[in-house]
Amino acid sequence: MRGAVIHAPGDVRFETVDDAKILKPTDAVIRTAVTCVCGSDLWPYRGAEPIGDPHPMGHEYVGFVEEVGSEVTGLRPGQFVVGSFATSDNTCPNCRNGFQSNCLHREFMSTCQAEYVRIPNAAGTLVALDEVPDESLWPGLLANSDVMGTGWWAADAARVRPGATAVVVGDGAVGLCAVIAAKEMGAERIIVMSRHKSRQELALEFGATDIVTERGEDGIAGIRELTGGIGADSVLECVGTAQAMQQALHSARPGGSVGFVGVPHEVAVDGQELFFSHVGLRGGPAPVRRYLPDLNERVLTGRIVPGRVFDLTLPLDRVAEGYQAMDERRAIKTLLTP
């Protein structure tokens, strides 16, 4: 089969890779319906993370079950499934506590920009739909496998409540999905920090009420001005840089909460400053599996349309162009069709 392989910064190729196959009795193999490029894929693409030897890429997926291992229950060939970027057995203590992305048997997906994908811990990771959905819904369901689930986790971790004022730091796909989540959770005011017009427009359509274009201290001042000098109840940090984290922490009111879901890069938090701020801080890899049944239903009924974050669609064999477009900010998120 063929799939995306990263060789060096800026060098992603579509080439022959090892066939997806059952390696453990708890595995399944799916045929990819659609997949995509994630903003976090840009970290190694830009040289901000070591690459090492050439290796496959991709962790977002929806598709059709092709084959299941001998110990997989509840799945059969032909079913349309949505899964998380972090696999889970969905039965260990961490899973039962709702943190499937910290399953004791967790594996992170990393081969999904391909024609077929092996899914470890398949029974606990994959959520099968009752029937094959209309293709128009596939992008939204794909978003649920990571960016929508991660945006939902950002809002959940930041304790967004009905009537709250929420700030979203970041206008990538996760940040835009976090706007959807904050709106669904009842936030009355949603302030998005963004400097890109097309993303601002989509954020407003998703439910944002205000836009702050400044960054750093000027951005924090803008948030303070909009919140009566106090800060927001909930701040959703969806970037992962040191500046974004500082912006988030200083935009929250005393007693407010920050949910951080951007993979941290060179982020350091001053413990004494956090102590005296009375700001709560919670984050980590999103427990997407916890949210999938609910998010899938919201997409299938048309209540939310997170698939709109895909503003570029390419055939899978042009995956390198998708990376380049996102790196150059010509696209928010690239959808890939096998």
Side-chain angles (χ1 to χ4, degrees), residues 4-329:
V5 175
I6 188 166
H7 287 258
D11 184 6
V12 171
R13 308 175 196 174
F14 189 69
E15 57 191 34
T16 300
V17 296
D18 292 339
D19 288 343
K21 64 180 77 173
I22 302 294
L23 299 180
K24 298 179 181 179
T26 50
D27 290 348
V29 171
I30 67 168
R31 173 170 57 86
T32 304
V34 284
T35 184
C36 57
V37 181
C38 183
S40 61
D41 293 332
L42 297 181
W43 291 110
Y45 184 80
R46 291 170 172 164
E49 287 180 358
I51 293 172
D53 294 333
H55 57 81
M57 290 291 287
H59 54 265
E60 299 160 283
Y61 59 96
V62 296
F64 299 89
V65 177
E66 286 282 303
E67 183 182 3
V68 298
S70 60
E71 294 181 13
V72 175
T73 59
L75 296 171
R76 63 180 187 276
Q79 287 180 308
F80 189 96
V81 290
V82 184
S84 166
F85 65 87
T87 74
S88 58
D89 60 23
N90 213 27
T91 61
C92 82
N94 291 342
C95 289
R96 292 198 302 271
N97 283 328
F99 284 87
Q100 292 93 332
S101 52
N102 226 314
C103 175
L104 296 177
H105 301 103
R106 174 187 67 190
E107 295 184 41
F108 285 112
M109 297 299 298
S110 60
T111 63
C112 297
Q113 291 163 5
E115 296 166 329
Y116 294 85
V117 185
R118 168 183 167 258
I119 311 293
N121 301 309
T125 299
L126 298 175
V127 175
L129 304 190
D130 293 335
E131 57 187 30
V132 177
D134 187 88
E135 289 190 24
S136 65
L137 298 172
W138 292 5
L141 295 167
L142 176 62
N144 287 349
S145 76
D146 183 359
V147 290
M148 186 64 238
T150 298
W152 198 271
W153 166 232
D156 192 2
R159 300 178 58 82
V160 175
R161 297 291 185 269
T165 293
V167 169
V168 176
V169 180
D171 61 2
V174 171
L176 291 167
C177 287
V179 174
I180 295 175
K183 180 71 172 178
E184 288 290 294
M185 292 183 188
E188 184 174 303
R189 194 173 195 184
I190 303 171
I191 306 166
V192 175
M193 309 193 84
S194 169
R195 298 195 297 183
H196 304 90
K197 184 172 177 55
S198 62
R199 301 179 185 215
Q200 294 169 6
E201 291 172 351
L202 188 53
L204 291 169
E205 292 176 26
F206 279 165
T209 56
D210 303 89
I211 303 291
V212 170
T213 59
E214 296 83 7
R215 289 187 180 180
E217 292 301 322
D218 289 340
I220 294 164
I223 296 298
R224 297 280 177 174
E225 183 177 348
L226 289 171
T227 56
I230 299 299
D233 304 309
S234 301
V235 183
L236 292 60
E237 193 281 297
C238 304
V239 182
T241 63
Q243 183 187 64
M245 177 64 85
Q246 287 303 305
Q247 204 160 263
L249 289 171
H250 294 165
S251 294
R253 66 168 174 80
S257 297
V258 172
F260 69 107
V261 301
V263 180
H265 286 73
E266 300 182 356
V267 171
V269 176
D270 185 320
Q272 189 168 61
E273 181 181 289
L274 183 65
F275 179 79
F276 283 103
S277 72
H278 282 116
V279 170
L281 181 62
R282 191 180 197 184
V288 168
R289 179 59 181 83
R290 187 206 309 180
Y291 305 128
L292 272 180
D294 176 51
L295 292 178
N296 288 347
E297 183 64 20
R298 291 174 193 256
V299 168
L300 293 171
T301 58
R303 178 163 177 169
I304 61 174
V305 192
R308 293 184 63 196
V309 299
F310 295 104
D311 56 348
L312 176 63
T313 299
L314 294 171
L316 184 56
D317 60 7
R318 293 169 60 186
V319 59
E321 295 176 44
Y323 273 81
Q324 186 175 15
M326 289 176 61
D327 179 47
E328 296 172 355
R329 292 191 175 273

